[in-house]
Amino acid sequence: MAKYLSPEARKKRARRRKARKLAMYATCAVFVLLVSYGIVALIEAFTPEAEQPPELLQPIVSTDMQPNTDLESEGQWYTRVGPVQQTINEFEIISPDHRMFQLPENGSVDLSYFEDAVFVGDSLTEGLREYASIENAVANIATFVSAKNQTPKSFLEGVIVFPGNYRPTQNGVEAIVSENPGKVYITLGTNALTFMNRQQLIYYYDQLLTTLQQQLPDTIFYVCSITPTTVAEASRRPVFIYDAIYAANNEIAMIASQKGMHYINLHEVLAGEDGYLKPEYAYSDGIHLRPEVYTIWVQYLMSHTVHRADNPYIPGSPYYLG
């Protein structure tokens, strides 16, 4: 005969049974965890270590070889291992690269596109005026406001002696504005790198672009890069080392973009893989271009224009309408 248990005793027995079951479950869980940990440890011990991903590439840091400039260390793509220098954030461009701003190829126009264009610059632009007509007629179509040894500052403030007195005024800005151009191509900076530091160059370039834009609000502006020099010339004059021209072009491209102007990267057609002017393109001074190179220059300009429906695109161009 079963022993009589009061309701309270039965409840106590049920609680003890429940406690024993919980203790057993907890012991099993701890055992499973220990076994699992041991298995994982064994697997890791006998598994070869995985390859670590390569470190990101960082910009090369330049040694300042310009005694008369304020060139600080600048970034260059794809050169050295390490963290990548940030170029933009949500609100502003931090460390610009002029290639970020360059006008892309956008169909090709014919030479009539330059009928209302004014080319502004120094002796490099003078070469375009003197030699481009050898292979094409751009020098006979466009207007030139250019002279040797010019800088953005001289166009703003200086008295310019235009060769052959072919300009009615000796003030650079007045000469440009007097043409009421539909387009303006500006190529300046090579002389400025020699005569002033980069901060001064950018200051006067910014002032020149601002002044021209205020007086020619409906004009399309193309701001061309400072052209490269040869390695030999850069070794003779450190103001023309790759890093110096690269840094100046970065800032020129950014201020042009901020003003809604279009940046033309002539390095795409003039420079070799090392970033310097191709030796076969240059005269012995390593700066000025041979006559046939201006045809390459003009052809590049013809294929890099801001898109407009009324542009005179050539047959075969993506935008040609016939």
Side-chain angles (χ1 to χ4, degrees), residues 30 33 62 89 121 130 156 161 189 202 216 226 241 292 308 313:
V30 171
L33 288 174
S62 161
N89 64 19
E130 294 174 4
L156 277 168
V161 180
I202 298 306
L216 297 169
I226 299 174
I241 62 171
E292 61 271 17
R308 293 178 60 133
Y313 293 109

Side-chain angles (χ1 to χ4, degrees), residues 199-238:
Q199 283 185 331
Q200 293 170 323
L201 162 62
I202 298 306
Y203 171 79
Y204 286 111
Y205 217 135
D206 190 4
Q207 293 297 306
L208 175 62
L209 296 182
T210 298
T211 301
L212 289 173
Q213 191 171 54
Q214 289 172 346
Q215 299 192 43
L216 297 169
D218 299 322
T219 296
I220 299 171
F221 286 90
Y222 294 102
V223 181
C224 297
S225 61
I226 299 174
T227 55
T229 67
T230 61
V231 172
E233 176 60 15
S235 67
R236 286 192 295 267
R237 292 201 279 176

Side-chain angles (χ1 to χ4, degrees), residues 182-204:
K183 303 116 185 171
V184 171
Y185 286 86
I186 303 174
T187 309
L188 287 168
T190 301
N191 292 293
L193 285 174
T194 304
F195 300 146
M196 60 185 68
N197 65 38
R198 196 175 81 240
Q199 283 185 331
Q200 293 170 323
L201 162 62
I202 298 306
Y203 171 79
Y204 286 111

Side-chain angles (χ1 to χ4, degrees), residues 1 3 5-6 9 23 27 38 49 51 65 70 100 107 121 124 155 171 182-183 189 192 195-196 229 270 304:
M1 181 173 162
K3 185 178 178 180
L5 294 173
S6 66
T27 301
E49 186 175 352
E51 284 190 21
M65 292 192 288
D70 65 331
M100 296 167 58
L124 286 161
F155 267 86
N171 179 278
K183 303 116 185 171
F195 300 146
M196 60 185 68
T229 67
L270 299 180
H304 290 73

Side-chain angles (χ1 to χ4, degrees), residues 135 148 283 287 293 309:
E135 298 292 338
K148 295 178 180 179
Y283 279 113
I287 297 175
V293 180

